[in-house]
Amino acid sequence: PVKLTVEPRVTLLDALRDYLDMTGAKRVCDRGNCGACTVIMGGKVVYACCVLAIDAQGKPIQTIEGLAPASRLHPVEAAFVNNDAQQCGFCTPGFVMAAKGFLDRNPNPTMEQVKEGLGGNLCRCGTYMGIRKAVLEAAKQMKGAANA
């Protein structure tokens, strides 16, 4: 738990980046169009630029920084590496968080479901095929870990 005192107009993205030094979520469009600021709040995938920090009060917030223990990769992160699902990397944290949230709701997706499920995130480098393959690989890894 973290306690902050911020003005009512401060967004969750600004609170994370400017007050907590958690810079994984990126400011790109600042309008909820690109998904670079995606985090998971209360189990729901949200754009941090569109949520006021005050509305996040009392809710668990998961960012890329807290996705896996130190020096280890979450299966989604590892799958992104394995599938060259990043180029410049700017959109990657948002995509990873969107993929994590998507797989939490849909642990056995098809390629078409992945395409639709991550439709709210944009990649200027165009690594969509690698991203989609990474999500399918992560689904298998997460399913295998759950059965182990």
Side-chain angles (χ1 to χ4, degrees):
V2 175
K3 185 175 182 167
L4 292 177
T5 302
V6 297
E7 293 182 27
R9 66 180 177 206
V10 172
T11 65
L12 177 57
L13 179 62
D14 289 335
L16 291 170
R17 293 183 62 81
D18 300 340
Y19 293 85
L20 299 174
D21 201 30
M22 300 177 86
T23 57
K26 305 291 190 258
R27 177 184 325 284
V28 177
C29 71
D30 211 21
R31 289 181 165 84
N33 290 328
C34 72
C37 65
T38 302
V39 299
I40 299 173
M41 181 177 81
K44 183 179 177 187
V45 174
V46 298
Y47 297 142
C49 73
C50 294
V51 174
L52 292 175
I54 197 165
D55 292 332
Q57 205 169 218
K59 296 177 181 152
I61 299 165
Q62 190 173 31
T63 67
I64 192 79
E65 290 89 350
L67 194 56
S71 75
R72 295 189 59 202
L73 293 177
H74 184 276
V76 175
E77 294 170 310
F80 267 64
V81 173
N82 294 342
N83 289 277
D84 282 332
Q86 70 285 328
Q87 282 192 18
C88 79
F90 207 75
C91 69
T92 305
F95 260 110
V96 168
M97 296 309 296
K100 162 70 166 69
F102 172 76
L103 290 173
D104 286 348
R105 293 182 321 276
N106 189 350
N108 193 25
T110 64
M111 181 67 87
E112 195 58 37
Q113 289 169 328
V114 171
K115 182 178 179 181
E116 184 177 324
L118 298 182
N121 288 66
L122 303 176
C123 172
R124 292 183 72 178
C125 299
T127 59
Y128 294 108
M129 286 310 298
I131 290 168
R132 293 173 191 146
K133 289 178 185 176
V135 174
L136 292 176
E137 178 183 313
K140 289 178 188 171
Q141 293 298 321
M142 291 168 69
K143 188 175 180 181
N147 293 332

